[in-house]
Amino acid sequence: MAAADSPSATLQRRDLCSRGIRLAGKMRSDVIDLLDTYVERQGLDASASVAAVEGVPVAAAERWDEQTGTQRLLENLAAYRAFRALLAQMLEEQREQLGEADAVLGQALAAVLLQVSAFAYHLEELLRLESRGTPSEEGAGPPPPPHLGLFERKLRGLGVLRELAQWAVRSARDLRQLAKPSPASSLAPSPAESP
Amino acid sequence: MFSGWNWVAHGLYLLLNICSLEVSGGLVQSCGHIIPESPVLALGSNFTALCILNESCLDFGNIYANQIIWKIKNRVVPREQYREINRTVSSVTFNDTSSLGTPLTCNILADGQIEQNIYGITVTVGLPPEKPKNLSCIVHQVSKLSYPMTCTWNPGRHTFLDTHFRLKYRWPQENFPDCIPKDVNNSCKITDVQFFVNLEVWVEAANALGKAESDPLVLDPIEIVKPLSPHNLSVNSGILPTVLKLSWENRISAAVMKLKFNIRYRIVGDTNWMQVPPEDTASPRTSFSVQGLRPYTEYVFSIRCMKEDGVGYWSDWSEEKTGVTTEDKPSKGPAIWRIIDASHSPASWTVRLMWKALEPFEANGVVLQYEVTVRAKSSLSSPPQKYNVNTTNLTLKLPNGTYEVTVIAHNRVGASPPSVLLIPASNSKAPVKNVRTLPKDGKLWIGWTAPNSYVLKYVIEWCLVSSSSDCIIEWQNEPGNVQGTYLKGDIKPFKCYLITVYPLYADGQGSGQSVKAYLQQDRPSKGPTVQTKKVGKAEAVLTWNHLTVDEQNGFIRSYTIFYKTIDGNETAVTVDPSKTEYTLSSLTSDTLYTVRMMAYTDEGGRSGPDFTFTTQKFGKGEIEAIVVPVCLAFLLIVLLGVLFCFNKRDLIKKHIWPIVPDPSKSNIAQWSPQVPAKHNFSSKDQMYPEGSFTDVSVVEIEADDKKSFSEQDLKPFDLLKKEKSTSEGHSSGIGGSSCMSSPRQSVSDSDEGETTQNTSSTVQYSTVVLNGYRDQTPVQVFSRSESTQPLLDSEERSEDHAGGGDSTTQGQQYFKQNGGQDETNTDRPCFERTKQITPANKGDLVGFVQLQISGQSSQPLGLGLEKNTQEAALSHVLQTSTEGQTVRPETVEGNPLSVDEMPKSYLPQTVRQGGYMPQ
C-alpha cells in the first residue's frame, strides 16, 4: 500500500476512478444504444427473457457493500475480461453472419469492445496502484464457446449486452466507492452503500 | 526534381545492365562493375565508389585500373579524386554528395584514345526525415456517437526522397492500426476514438535514409473534443416584458461529457452581440431565461457549448433564433417643442406643438395616442385643455400669454411619465453665446457657450435653407449640462442649414441664437450671370444677381470678374460677395469686351456665362459738344438768312413771288357798269361778249413760229401733263399764291425746266398787275407778264378732258384765272381752278394767250364748265368772301401807268383795287 499512500498515487487513483466512472457511464449508454440496435438487427424481441448464459459474469452480488476495494476491482476485472472475450466472439460471429453489410452493428460492437478493454485497463491500473498484481488472463477467460445454434447465439449475445449494461452500473458504483477519500474505504466498505 | 533524375538514372542503369547482360550473354564481355550499386546518399555526406575491372578484360584488352576515367553525366571527375587501389580497382571519392550527379559512370581509355564505358550507377541524394513537430489533435463530434480525431503535425524539411508518415496511437495495453495520411504529409484522421482512456499518439516519418518519430502525445480524447453545437433552439416570451426563455437540445450525451454554455443575443438590426454572463450558464442545462431585455424588442439568440470543465474546444455557434419581448408602458415622455406664429395677430398666437415619437426602447410598445394638456399659467382659474391626438403635432390658437404644455404617450400597457414644456410670454431670459458649428465624422456638430444661469435643457432647431422650398423646422433636445452636440437628422452635404439654439430655464426661455452652416461645402453649381447696366467709353457698370442658396453649395467667399478683349489678356477683379454691381474702368473705347464672373466658396469657384459688350466710341458729352455748336451754327445761319430775306423781301417777292392781284377783290362794276353784276353766262356770247374784251394782251404768233410753238412749247406741256398724272398737285398755276410756289418754280422743278424756259422765252405773255389788291396801293401797271402759266392751263385741260388733249394743245390759247385766296381749297389742286376754254370758243379766242377776267365774273365761267354741282356752292363762297372784305371802289385814274412802263402789246386798262379789270 505504500504506493497508494503517495500523493501522486492518490491523485492517479482518483483520476483513474473518475475517468473509470465516466467510462462506465458512457459504456452503459452505448450498450443501451447497442442493445436497441442489436435487437433490431438480429430480429429479436426487446422484451425477450434471457436465461443466465454460461460464462457471462453476473453483476448482482451478495453483500456487495462488504466487499473490499480490491475485491471489487478483481471482480470487475474478471467480469470485463470475460466481456471482452464474449464481445470479441460476438463481433466475429456477427461478421461471419452478416459480413461487412451491417457495419453499424459491427462498429457499435467494436466500440463497446474497445470500451470494455479500456475499462479493464483502468481496473488493472487501479490494481497496480493497490500494489496488487494483475491476475493472469489465462484461466480467467470464458470457457470455449459451446456449439450453439444461430438463434441461441443471438440470445446469448443479447444476454451478454444486458449483463454488460448491468455491470456498467455496478462498476460505476464500485469506482465511486474506491474514489472516496478515506484510504480505509478499500478495506472497510461503508455499510450504507449497496449495489 | 530528384524523382525525375532518378527515373533518368534508372533508365540509364537498365540500359547499362542490358548491355552488360548482352556482354555476359556472349555478345560483349562485361569488363567491370561499380560498388555500391545505386546508392541513396545523404546530402552533404562523403561518398566513395569503386570500379572493379574483370580479370578477363585485363588480358584481353590490356585494360588496367589506371586507365579508368570517372564521369558524372558527361563531365569527367577530376583525377585528384581518383585512387588506384590495385590494377583492377579504381575508386573515386566525393567529399560532398551535393556535387554528385547521376549517372556516375566508370569509363576506360581503350587503345590509347578511345573512351569506352565500363559501368554506371544511379546516385540518389536526399535527406533523412526530420522529427515531426507540433503534433496536436482534436476530436470533432460529427454525430451523437461519432467522434473522429484529427491530428496534425509539422513534417519538417523536404527530404527529396519518398518519405512516409504514419500516425501511431495506442493504449498502454493495446495497439491500434496506424493512421496513414492520404495525399498529405501533415495530418491524419482517426475515425473513432474512445474516451476516458489515455491515448498515446505520435508520428513516425521514414524514408531511405532513416526514420524519425515525434514526441508522443498522451491524452484522453475526451479532453480535446469540439462538440456539436446545441440545436433546436427556441425562444419564448416570458411573463415579464424583459425576459425571454431559451430552450435547446444538446447533441452530446451527458454520459460523454457535461457541458457549459455561452448564450449571446442582440437586437434585430444591431450588429453588436451581448452575452449572458458565462457563470450563469456554466452548468449542464437545456434551457435558460435571459433577463434584462428591453420590452417589445425583437432579439436574436445563439448558443454554443463545451466541456463543463473548460477542457477542450467550444462548439460552433448554433443557428440564430429570434424572439420578441412583450410590451411595457413607455419609459419616458416624448420630447416636446413648439413653433409660435404671432404674425397674424399681436394679441394671439398660433402655437404649433411638436413632439418626438418615442424611440422603440422608450415606447416599449405601440404608442396608441398622445394626451396633450395645455394650461394657462396666467389664469389659474381656467381649467386646462386636454387633447388626445394620434399624430406628433398639434396646432392651437392661444391668447398671448404663458402656458404649460404637458404631453403623455399611451400604449396598450400604460402611460408614460409626462413631458412638460413652458411657453413663456416672451423669451426674456439670457441666450446662449458664441454659437458655432463644425463638421465632424460626417455629422454636423454645433457648440455654444452656456449662459450663466442654470439651464434645464437646450432645444436646437434647424432647417434646410432653400429657395425652392420652405424652411421645414427640425429640432432636438439636449440636456442642460452639455455645450455641444451633433445634429440628429439627415444632414445633407452642400446644403445650407440655419441652426438656432434656445436655452430653456425652469421659469422661462432664452431667445434663440442662430448660425448658418454646411456639413460639407462644394463649388457653386453655377456662376453668376453678369450683364452690363451701363456702358461708357472707358467704363462699364456690371450687375449680377446673387446665386440662390441652392446654387451656392457653400458660403460665397468672393466673386471674381474676368474680362478681356478679343485678343487681349484676361484681367481678373475680385469683388466682395455682398456686392451686386461693379464698375470696370480704364476700358478701351469702341472695343468688344468679354466678361464672365466666378463665385467662390471654400471649395472652389465656378464661372458663369460669358457676356460681351462694346464700349462706346464717344464719351458722355462728347456728342453734345459736337452737335450743339453745329445746331447753333445752323440756326444762326438760318436766322441770318431769314433776316436777309426779310430785308430783301421786296426784291425777293418781286423775283420769286410776284404779287398777284386777287380777282375776287376786283370791282368790275365800277369800272364797267354796263356789265351785269350777276354772273349769268348762259352762252358763249354772254360769256365772252365782244364788248367786254376791252383790255387784252395779244400774243402774236407768227407763222414761222408755229412749228416751234407746237413742238417746243408743247413738249413741256406734255411733260407737265405726265408729271401731273403721277403727282397731281405738285405743279402750280398762275394762282401760285394758293399753291405757295411760283409758276416758274413749279415748272423748273420738273425735268423739263429748260424746255419750259425756252417756252417762256418764245411765248410772250401779257400780265396785268394790279396794285389794288387788298392793302396794296392800287397802281395801274401794265407790264408784260412773265408767267408761263398757259402751259399749265393746257396741262389742266388735258387732264380734265382725257382723250382730247391733242386738240386742245393745238389750240395754244388758254385762259388763266386766279381763284383768289378765298377760293383756296387745299384739298384740291390749284389746277382745278384753271379752266379750259371749250373748243367752241377756240376760234374766237385765237390770238389770246391769256384772258384774265376780274372779279366774280370769272368764277361762273370756270366752275360752270367744270362741274355744275359746285357752282352754286362756290359762288356762294365767293360771294360770302367778297362780302367779308372791305371793298373800296377806287378808280385807277390816280395811278396811270407811264408810257414807258406799258408793254407794247398791252392795251391800257383801268384797274381798280382788289381785282382785275377785264381786258
Side-chain angles (χ1 to χ4, degrees):
Chain A
M1 297 296 290
D5 293 335
S6 69
S8 63
T10 303
L11 287 174
Q12 190 176 2
R13 188 183 64 180
R14 188 175 297 171
D15 175 62
L16 283 170
C17 287
S18 172
R19 290 199 285 163
I21 292 167
R22 298 173 67 182
L23 178 57
K26 182 174 187 301
M27 189 162 55
R28 182 177 181 277
S29 171
D30 289 352
V31 170
I32 296 296
D33 291 341
L34 178 58
L35 270 172
D36 294 339
T37 307
Y38 187 84
V39 168
E40 178 190 350
R41 299 299 171 97
Q42 299 292 356
L44 299 176
D45 183 2
S47 61
S49 171
V50 180
V53 180
E54 187 184 357
V56 176
V58 179
E62 294 180 1
R63 306 177 71 81
W64 173 85
D65 53 346
E66 296 177 2
Q67 287 183 335
T68 63
T70 304
Q71 281 179 314
R72 297 175 194 276
L73 290 174
L74 288 173
E75 283 191 10
N76 274 274
L77 182 59
Y80 282 97
R81 281 178 173 174
F83 279 121
R84 186 166 60 188
L86 288 168
L87 288 171
Q89 188 177 344
M90 287 173 63
L91 186 60
E92 185 68 24
E93 290 171 357
Q94 190 266 340
R95 285 176 180 161
E96 288 176 358
Q97 177 191 345
L98 301 174
E100 298 296 330
D102 199 342
V104 174
L105 183 58
Q107 287 176 0
L109 276 172
V112 170
L113 175 58
L114 278 175
Q115 291 175 59
V116 168
S117 297
F119 198 78
Y121 165 72
H122 273 286
L123 296 171
E124 289 168 359
E125 286 295 299
L126 284 169
L127 283 170
R128 187 178 58 79
L129 288 174
E130 294 287 339
S131 300
R132 292 282 186 173
T134 304
S136 170
E137 290 195 52
E138 294 179 0
H147 295 286
L148 299 174
L150 178 60
F151 184 74
E152 289 172 322
R153 287 205 296 269
K154 289 180 180 179
L155 284 180
R156 182 169 173 267
L158 184 61
V160 169
L161 292 178
R162 283 181 176 174
E163 202 58 40
L164 178 58
Q166 294 295 325
W167 265 106
V169 175
R170 175 184 168 176
S171 298
R173 287 176 175 266
D174 286 334
L175 291 180
R176 283 197 189 96
Q177 197 70 22
L178 285 170
K180 287 188 176 175
S182 170
S185 62
S186 60
L187 302 174
S190 168
E193 293 284 347
S194 63
Chain B
M1 184 183 73
F2 272 77
S3 176
W5 281 114
N6 285 342
W7 278 107
V8 172
H10 192 66
L12 195 60
Y13 171 71
L14 288 175
L15 185 63
L16 289 171
N17 279 346
I18 290 169
C19 292
S20 179
L21 287 173
E22 287 174 351
V23 168
S24 61
L27 293 174
V28 178
Q29 187 177 6
S30 174
C31 287
H33 63 280
I34 297 174
I35 295 174
E37 183 72 44
S38 300
V40 177
L41 306 174
L43 193 65
S45 63
N46 55 17
F47 171 65
T48 299
L50 301 175
C51 183
I52 303 169
L53 300 176
N54 292 341
E55 290 290 338
S56 57
C57 291
L58 299 180
D59 301 334
F60 180 74
N62 293 325
I63 298 172
Y64 300 99
N66 60 356
Q67 296 173 292
I68 287 176
I69 297 172
W70 291 90
K71 297 179 78 173
I72 300 173
K73 293 184 180 176
N74 293 321
R75 179 171 56 85
V76 177
V77 177
R79 285 191 173 273
E80 297 81 48
Q81 296 177 231
Y82 301 172
R83 181 170 167 236
E84 183 181 355
I85 295 174
N86 54 38
R87 67 183 193 129
T88 61
V89 178
S90 173
S91 70
V92 61
T93 299
F94 300 92
N95 291 328
D96 188 351
T97 53
S98 60
S99 63
L100 265 173
T102 191
L104 175 65
T105 56
C106 172
N107 306 278
I108 195 161
L109 282 174
D111 296 331
Q113 297 301 323
I114 300 173
E115 186 178 304
Q116 189 172 358
N117 177 257
I118 300 297
Y119 203 77
I121 60 171
T122 299
V123 178
T124 303
V125 179
L127 293 168
E130 276 190 318
K131 178 182 175 181
K133 300 170 188 170
N134 301 331
L135 175 64
S136 64
C137 299
I138 182 171
V139 176
H140 288 279
Q141 183 190 9
V142 295
S143 69
K144 191 171 182 179
L145 298 174
S146 178
Y147 299 89
M149 183 174 76
T150 302
C151 295
T152 58
W153 60 88
N154 180 0
R157 68 188 176 191
H158 184 50
T159 62
F160 309 106
L161 300 174
D162 189 14
T163 304
H164 300 279
F165 290 86
R166 288 172 179 271
L167 177 67
K168 292 177 170 290
Y169 61 105
R170 69 182 178 190
W171 284 344
Q173 81 286 9
E174 186 165 354
N175 290 322
F176 296 102
D178 295 343
C179 179
I180 299 173
K182 292 178 180 176
D183 304 326
V184 294
N185 63 355
N186 64 342
S187 71
C188 195
K189 182 163 75 174
I190 301 170
T191 56
D192 202 3
V193 294
Q194 297 302 318
F195 299 131
F196 311 117
V197 184
N198 282 343
L199 188 67
E200 184 181 4
V201 183
W202 73 99
V203 178
E204 181 185 274
N207 65 12
L209 292 177
K211 181 186 293 184
E213 290 184 349
S214 69
D215 291 334
L217 189 66
V218 179
L219 51 85
D220 184 347
I222 196 67
E223 297 171 349
I224 54 172
V225 173
K226 181 181 180 182
L228 286 173
S229 60
H231 70 149
N232 293 337
L233 179 65
S234 62
V235 184
N236 299 305
S237 300
I239 299 173
L240 297 174
T242 58
V243 175
L244 286 174
K245 183 179 180 182
L246 308 184
S247 300
W248 64 87
E249 293 177 18
N250 296 316
R251 286 188 281 186
I252 192 166
S253 167
V256 175
M257 69 166 66
K258 293 180 180 176
L259 297 172
K260 66 176 181 180
F261 303 89
N262 277 168
I263 298 173
R264 65 178 184 178
Y265 60 98
R266 61 180 170 86
I267 296 173
V268 169
D270 196 352
T271 56
N272 297 322
W273 288 97
M274 296 165 282
Q275 191 164 343
V276 172
E279 57 269 21
D280 292 352
T281 55
S283 57
R285 62 183 65 235
T286 57
S287 66
F288 187 81
S289 291
V290 183
Q291 304 175 18
L293 303 177
R294 291 177 183 167
Y296 199 63
T297 305
E298 187 174 15
Y299 285 89
V300 181
F301 292 91
S302 181
I303 187 172
R304 67 177 181 176
C305 63
M306 76 174 298
K307 195 161 174 279
E308 183 182 19
D309 56 6
V311 178
Y313 299 91
W314 281 104
S315 70
D316 294 327
W317 287 103
S318 70
E319 75 276 14
E320 296 178 355
K321 284 297 172 82
T322 60
V324 183
T325 52
T326 56
E327 285 191 49
D328 195 3
K329 63 183 179 181
S331 60
K332 62 176 286 191
I336 182 171
W337 185 232
R338 87 291 175 274
I339 297 174
I340 298 174
D341 183 3
S343 61
H344 297 297
S345 170
S348 65
W349 289 338
T350 300
V351 179
R352 178 179 168 83
L353 298 173
M354 306 176 294
W355 53 91
K356 300 275 189 187
L358 293 172
E359 295 291 332
F361 63 88
E362 297 167 339
N364 292 339
V366 179
V367 174
L368 301 176
Q369 68 175 16
Y370 297 95
E371 179 185 324
V372 182
T373 305
V374 179
R375 180 181 291 109
K377 299 282 281 186
S378 54
S379 59
L380 296 174
S381 58
S382 60
Q385 296 178 336
K386 289 192 175 183
Y387 307 89
N388 289 324
V389 293
N390 296 323
T391 58
T392 57
N393 59 75
L394 176 65
T395 302
L396 299 172
K397 277 188 177 285
L398 298 173
N400 195 341
T402 299
Y403 295 90
E404 184 182 87
V405 179
T406 304
V407 177
I408 299 172
H410 290 268
N411 65 9
R412 276 193 286 265
V413 177
S416 71
S419 294
V420 180
L421 175 68
L422 184 68
I423 302 178
S426 64
N427 298 338
S428 57
K429 301 293 181 179
V432 298
K433 303 168 191 168
N434 190 23
V435 179
R436 59 207 178 272
T437 61
L438 182 66
K440 194 189 292 183
D441 303 329
K443 295 184 286 187
L444 194 56
W445 181 87
I446 180 165
W448 59 87
T449 301
N452 294 328
S453 307
Y454 173 72
V455 177
L456 274 182
K457 61 182 177 182
Y458 295 97
V459 174
I460 293 101
E461 266 186 14
W462 75 90
C463 70
L464 194 155
V465 182
S466 172
S467 56
S468 59
S469 62
D470 293 335
C471 192
I472 300 172
I473 289 178
E474 298 180 69
W475 57 278
Q476 68 187 57
N477 278 350
E478 293 299 328
N481 58 350
V482 302
Q483 297 189 34
T485 185
Y486 288 101
L487 294 187
K488 298 165 186 167
D490 183 20
I491 306 298
K492 299 171 183 171
F494 320 133
K495 300 291 184 185
C496 182
Y497 287 89
L498 178 64
I499 307 166
T500 307
V501 180
Y502 295 91
L504 302 187
Y505 301 92
D507 55 349
Q509 173 182 318
S511 60
Q513 297 295 304
S514 298
V515 66
K516 282 185 176 179
Y518 285 87
L519 175 62
Q520 185 182 351
Q521 295 190 49
D522 194 5
R523 294 192 306 157
S525 56
K526 61 179 285 191
T529 301
V530 66
Q531 57 187 357
T532 55
K533 180 180 179 184
K534 183 179 177 185
V535 177
K537 180 181 179 183
E539 71 283 331
V541 180
L542 304 178
T543 62
W544 60 90
N545 292 324
H546 285 306
L547 295 176
T548 65
V549 69
D550 296 326
E551 296 166 343
Q552 291 179 5
N553 293 338
F555 294 113
I556 300 297
R557 301 301 187 193
S558 67
Y559 292 123
T560 300
I561 299 171
F562 299 92
Y563 64 98
K564 64 175 182 178
T565 59
I566 290 178
D567 53 352
N569 291 329
E570 194 169 58
T571 305
V573 179
T574 301
V575 182
D576 188 87
S578 61
K579 300 286 179 57
T580 57
E581 184 175 308
Y582 185 80
T583 302
L584 297 178
S585 57
S586 302
L587 303 179
T588 308
S589 63
D590 194 22
T591 304
L592 180 67
Y593 279 89
T594 300
V595 62
R596 64 189 172 92
M597 193 162 181
M598 287 187 76
Y600 287 91
T601 65
D602 293 337
E603 298 298 318
R606 197 177 292 277
S607 179
D610 285 351
F611 181 80
T612 58
F613 65 90
T614 305
T615 51
Q616 293 185 350
K617 193 169 185 178
F618 300 100
K620 181 180 180 183
E622 285 186 5
I623 293 177
E624 289 81 350
I626 295 172
V627 170
V628 170
V630 168
C631 291
L632 289 175
F634 177 75
L635 289 174
L636 187 62
I637 292 170
V638 169
L639 186 61
L640 290 174
V642 169
L643 289 175
F644 177 77
C645 293
F646 183 74
N647 289 334
K648 300 293 182 181
R649 63 184 183 279
D650 293 338
L651 185 62
I652 294 170
K653 197 170 185 178
K654 179 179 178 182
H655 288 284
I656 298 176
W657 195 344
I659 296 172
V660 179
D662 187 354
S664 63
K665 303 296 189 296
S666 62
N667 193 350
I668 197 168
Q670 294 180 1
W671 179 76
S672 182
Q674 68 274 12
V675 176
K678 205 169 185 178
H679 302 164
N680 186 10
F681 300 102
S682 58
S683 66
K684 295 184 179 90
D685 292 339
Q686 289 178 328
M687 194 173 181
Y688 303 108
E690 290 183 358
S692 64
F693 292 97
T694 53
D695 296 331
V696 294
S697 296
V698 178
V699 178
E700 297 177 356
I701 301 174
E702 298 177 1
D704 296 338
D705 294 333
K706 189 174 184 179
K707 181 181 179 183
S708 61
F709 172 75
S710 60
E711 292 178 0
Q712 296 177 359
D713 289 357
L714 288 180
K715 279 182 181 177
F717 172 72
D718 291 337
L719 291 169
L720 287 170
K721 187 176 70 176
K722 290 178 184 175
E723 184 180 347
K724 184 177 180 181
S725 65
T726 57
S727 178
E728 188 177 11
H730 287 186
S731 301
S732 62
I734 195 169
S737 60
S738 63
C739 294
M740 299 301 290
S741 63
S742 66
R744 187 180 295 273
Q745 282 177 324
S746 175
V747 173
S748 65
D749 286 342
S750 68
D751 294 338
E752 300 296 334
E754 186 179 355
T755 309
T756 306
Q757 285 181 345
N758 293 337
T759 304
S760 62
S761 63
T762 54
V763 178
Q764 297 296 317
Y765 292 87
S766 79
T767 302
V768 178
V769 179
L770 302 179
N771 292 330
Y773 179 66
R774 290 191 174 182
D775 298 335
Q776 298 175 16
T777 304
V779 176
Q780 192 171 3
V781 177
F782 295 94
S783 64
R784 178 179 175 165
S785 173
E786 297 177 358
S787 173
T788 60
Q789 195 59 37
L791 296 176
L792 299 176
D793 257 347
S794 65
E795 171 190 305
E796 182 96 349
R797 185 191 59 191
S798 65
E799 182 178 330
D800 292 342
H801 301 275
D806 292 340
S807 60
T808 54
T809 52
Q810 287 175 357
Q812 304 293 321
Q813 295 174 352
Y814 300 89
F815 284 95
K816 193 127 184 111
Q817 172 181 331
N818 189 346
Q821 292 177 345
D822 293 339
E823 294 179 22
T824 301
N825 184 352
T826 56
D827 293 336
R828 301 182 65 188
C830 55
F831 297 115
E832 291 182 3
R833 286 177 288 276
T834 59
K835 297 305 170 185
Q836 177 187 355
I837 302 300
T838 58
N841 294 330
K842 286 180 185 176
D844 298 335
L845 296 177
V846 169
F848 292 92
V849 174
Q850 180 178 2
L851 172 64
Q852 294 185 336
I853 302 173
S854 64
Q856 298 168 344
S857 59
S858 64
Q859 293 295 334
L861 174 64
L863 293 175
L865 292 173
E866 184 184 8
K867 190 181 280 184
N868 294 330
T869 55
Q870 294 180 357
E871 181 180 357
L874 285 174
S875 61
H876 172 74
V877 170
L878 290 172
Q879 282 183 337
T880 304
S881 59
T882 304
E883 289 170 3
Q885 291 178 347
T886 302
V887 180
R888 293 187 305 164
E890 288 183 348
T891 60
V892 294
E893 294 172 355
N895 294 312
L897 287 173
S898 62
V899 177
D900 296 337
E901 290 174 331
M902 294 176 63
K904 296 176 183 178
S905 58
Y906 282 75
L907 291 176
Q909 59 181 328
T910 301
V911 179
R912 298 185 66 87
Q913 184 182 10
Y916 279 180
M917 293 301 290
Q919 297 176 20

